[in-house]
Amino acid sequence: MAAEIQPKALTRKPVLLSKVEGSQDVVSMAAIVPKEDGVISVSEDRTIRVWLKRESGQYWPSIYHAMPSHQGRVIMILFVLEMEWVLSTGQDKQFTWHCSESGQRLGGYRTSAGACGLQFDVETRHVFIGDHSGQVTILKLEQENCSLVTTFKGHTGGVTALCWDPVQRVLFSGSSDHSIIMWDIGGRKGTAIELQGHNDKVQCVSYAPHTRQLISCGADGGIVIWNMDVERQETPEWLDSDSCQKCDQPFFWNFKQMWDSKKIGLRQHHCRKCGKAVCGKCSSKRSSIPLMGFEFEVRVCDTCHESITDEERAPTATFHDSKHNIVHVHFDATRGWLLTSGTDKIIKASARSRLNICTKTLFQLVLKISEKLHAFQGSSPSQRLAKIRRRKKTHSR
């Protein structure tokens, strides 16, 4: 099999702003606190911590909570401001949602496998859950109960991340099979567009609606920024045949045709552009097909190779090296901040004046989670956050 030529990653030099000495557990995910200089993090020790920037310029834990509703580590958490809900999934195969004000558990649902992907649509109250079996489950949430809407599956590996675009009504799913699938939920036609641009499992995906760009991160630290403002095409289904659909040579299991033609059977391949079953001789060429999601060169039949123009080979994604084993990414569109957390217990925040195909990092903030925790007792999370803000104002006077 011919070697594939991989696009060279673009490196960016980080500028260290500050450090907070770290924790003993991996940070599963992190998100930026809206309208605050702060970060919310979830750790494998089943804790949720809020880090706010002090007058000194350092980040310290301000609110600390455990997740008693999960028996295993918390994998994903989602805060829905409009509903005042906190949604979470755990390694214990449980999906739960709580009231963010009272902390009361409102309901739960047991998934078929541990869930790593979690998204919510405020308009329809639909929650999307992706699990390790490769299945995506859609639930309809009410105040204290939920109902199953549907399930679907398209990945050969487990679902590792989900991202929902409420405007286009599109769901993005990343998988351990190195691929991303764009599901057209709003179109209701079952359209699924595949994106191939990672050499390792996709750890997380995030969408920038104002520029229509998808940001995906791999386990190898690679960041891919996809231009979704193009007319993409579905990959064809692979056709079944007992002989090459170009030269009619039999494949190695077609004993009858091999005997009749006195020819040795050949190995079957498939053209990624037309989906036809072809032999190696009739598919000796390779080509990228970005509009079909193939940013790297893949096998195509000789006929399709001749029909692909240079314009169709133009890349629709850029590749970057984070130098960081990423497990989660969060993009704040209002400030243009890209937040990544990794297995190295480090959170990196990249601020960009404008996220586009020629993205340039302005700075990276590296946080190491502190072991010194300050827990506020006897009030709701929102009340505790209000106390911290009042104290910051008092100290600044």
Side-chain angles (χ1 to χ4, degrees):
M1 189 174 183
E4 295 180 348
I5 301 174
Q6 309 293 355
K8 186 177 180 180
L10 301 177
T11 58
R12 297 289 185 265
K13 185 178 180 180
V15 177
L16 183 64
L17 295 184
S18 63
K19 282 187 179 181
V20 179
E21 291 306 319
S23 100
Q24 301 300 316
D25 290 289
V26 173
V27 179
S28 303
M29 66 165 291
I32 296 168
V33 179
K35 301 179 181 180
E36 290 283 344
D37 286 331
V39 172
I40 302 173
S41 67
V42 177
S43 178
E44 289 194 3
D45 61 2
R46 295 189 291 164
T47 61
I48 304 171
R49 297 167 187 172
V50 177
W51 310 83
L52 293 181
K53 191 174 184 179
R54 302 297 184 178
E55 296 297 329
S56 63
Q58 294 180 313
Y59 285 77
W60 293 96
S62 302
I63 302 175
Y64 165 73
H65 297 289
M67 293 292 292
S69 59
H70 290 281
Q71 299 303 314
R73 71 181 180 91
V74 179
I75 299 177
M76 286 294 295
I77 189 167
L78 196 64
F79 174 57
V80 183
L81 178 63
E82 295 84 354
M83 309 301 299
E84 294 185 345
W85 287 349
V86 176
L87 317 180
S88 62
T89 61
Q91 204 172 29
D92 54 2
K93 302 180 183 179
Q94 287 289 336
F95 160 72
T96 63
W97 70 102
H98 291 72
C99 173
S100 62
E101 287 297 306
S102 64
Q104 179 185 356
R105 185 180 187 273
L106 300 177
Y109 181 87
R110 185 172 179 82
T111 56
S112 57
C116 286
L118 181 64
Q119 288 290 285
F120 184 75
D121 181 51
V122 176
E123 182 181 343
T124 62
R125 292 192 182 183
H126 285 164
V127 62
F128 306 92
I129 307 170
D131 61 43
H132 290 307
S133 70
Q135 179 175 285
V136 177
T137 302
I138 303 180
L139 302 175
K140 171 80 171 182
L141 295 191
E142 301 298 343
Q143 190 62 29
E144 296 182 355
N145 58 70
C146 66
S147 57
L148 177 64
V149 178
T150 187
T151 61
F152 50 88
K153 188 174 182 179
H155 290 286
T156 57
V159 175
T160 53
L162 291 178
C163 182
W164 171 247
D165 176 16
V167 179
Q168 302 294 326
R169 314 294 297 173
V170 168
L171 180 70
F172 298 95
S173 62
S175 172
S176 58
D177 62 10
H178 307 182
S179 72
I180 300 168
I181 297 180
M182 181 178 73
W183 306 89
D184 185 10
I185 304 296
R188 299 181 180 179
K189 295 180 180 179
T191 304
I193 304 296
E194 192 172 350
L195 303 175
Q196 298 278 359
H198 286 277
N199 295 315
D200 206 334
K201 71 175 181 177
V202 180
Q203 294 282 56
C204 40
V205 288
S206 184
Y207 187 67
H210 62 297
T211 55
R212 295 199 64 184
Q213 289 175 306
L214 180 71
I215 305 164
S216 60
C217 301
D220 57 359
I223 298 177
V224 183
I225 301 178
W226 306 82
N227 178 17
M228 302 309 297
D229 196 19
V230 294
E231 188 175 347
R232 295 190 174 271
Q233 305 167 17
E234 279 191 283
T235 52
E237 291 186 13
W238 285 4
L239 303 178
D240 293 325
S241 179
D242 293 328
S243 58
C244 176
Q245 294 181 305
K246 292 294 182 179
C247 67
D248 202 35
Q249 291 287 324
F251 293 132
F252 63 84
W253 62 83
N254 189 352
F255 298 110
K256 185 180 185 305
Q257 188 175 348
M258 287 167 58
W259 177 264
D260 293 341
S261 61
K262 301 298 187 291
K263 293 180 180 179
I264 298 176
L266 303 175
R267 182 183 174 186
Q268 178 183 258
H269 301 281
H270 284 89
C271 173
R272 274 31 173 203
K273 191 174 191 299
C274 66
K276 288 183 178 180
V278 290
C279 66
K281 185 178 179 180
C282 294
S283 59
S284 59
K285 305 292 180 62
R286 302 290 185 274
S287 176
S288 60
I289 321 173
L291 293 180
M292 282 189 171
F294 297 112
E295 292 292 331
F296 302 151
E297 291 190 340
V298 292
R299 182 185 294 272
V300 293
C301 67
D302 295 349
T303 304
C304 287
H305 186 271
E306 294 176 1
S307 68
I308 300 175
T309 64
D310 291 339
E311 185 179 351
E312 290 176 319
R313 290 190 177 94
T316 60
T318 56
F319 299 81
H320 311 267
D321 186 3
S322 68
K323 300 195 180 296
H324 179 54
N325 294 323
I326 301 171
V327 295
H328 183 76
V329 63
H330 172 75
F331 179 69
D332 185 348
T334 59
R335 284 180 283 187
W337 284 13
L338 182 66
L339 194 73
T340 60
S341 55
T343 56
D344 50 6
K345 308 184 182 105
I346 293 177
I347 300 170
K348 291 185 180 181
S350 301
R352 293 169 171 85
S353 58
R354 180 171 175 260
L355 186 67
N356 51 31
I357 291 298
C358 300
T359 306
K360 182 177 180 180
T361 305
L362 298 182
F363 68 82
Q364 288 187 326
L365 168 66
V366 181
L367 297 177
K368 280 197 172 182
I369 311 304
S370 174
E371 294 176 348
K372 298 179 180 180
L373 301 176
H374 184 189
F376 289 82
Q377 303 295 332
S379 58
S380 70
S382 59
Q383 291 172 333
R384 296 175 200 178
L385 191 58
K387 288 180 182 179
I388 295 165
R389 291 170 182 166
R390 287 196 297 270
R391 290 185 182 183
K392 287 177 67 178
K393 290 181 180 179
T394 302
H395 291 314
S396 62
R397 290 173 184 173

